[in-house]
C-alpha cells in the first residue's frame, strides 16, 4: 500500500470518529501520529507492507 493512501485512510477514520489526526514527530524511518489519544507509528517508506498497513488501520479503528 502506498504511504499516501495509508495516511488518507487514517485521516478518514479520524473524521468518521470525530477525532483529530496529528503528526507528533518525524523520524528517520517512521513518523509518529496521534489519533484520538492513540499513538500510531507509520513507516515513511513509499510502499508500506500490506500486513503492516492493515495492522496500523486496525489499531486506528480500535480507538
Amino acid at each position: 500500500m502506498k504511504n499516501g493512501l495509508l495516511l488518507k485512510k487514517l485521516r478518514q477514520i479520524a473524521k468518521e470518529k470525530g477525532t483529530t489526526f496529528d503528526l507528533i514527530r518525524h523520524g528517520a524511518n517512521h513518523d509518529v501520529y496521534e489519533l484520538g489519544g492513540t499513538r500510531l507509528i507509520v513507516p515513511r517508506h513509499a510502499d508500506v507492507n500490506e500486513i503492516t498497513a492493515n495492522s496500523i488501520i486496525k489499531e486506528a479503528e480500535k480507538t
Side-chain angles (χ1 to χ4, degrees):
M1 176 181 293
K2 297 286 184 185
N3 190 333
L5 180 60
L6 175 59
L7 293 175
K8 184 176 179 179
K9 285 187 178 192
L10 293 174
R11 285 187 195 100
Q12 181 180 9
I13 290 169
K15 185 176 180 180
E16 290 171 359
K17 293 184 173 289
T19 62
T20 60
F21 181 66
D22 299 316
L23 174 67
I24 302 300
R25 68 178 172 83
H26 285 291
N29 297 317
H30 296 81
D31 290 333
V32 178
Y33 290 90
E34 189 170 78
L35 190 147
T38 300
R39 292 207 175 194
L40 302 172
I41 310 299
V42 179
R44 294 186 72 188
H45 316 297
D47 290 317
V48 178
N49 183 318
E50 287 293 324
I51 295 170
T52 304
N54 289 333
S55 175
I56 294 168
I57 292 169
K58 186 175 179 180
E59 183 67 27
E61 290 174 340
K62 285 198 294 189
T63 60

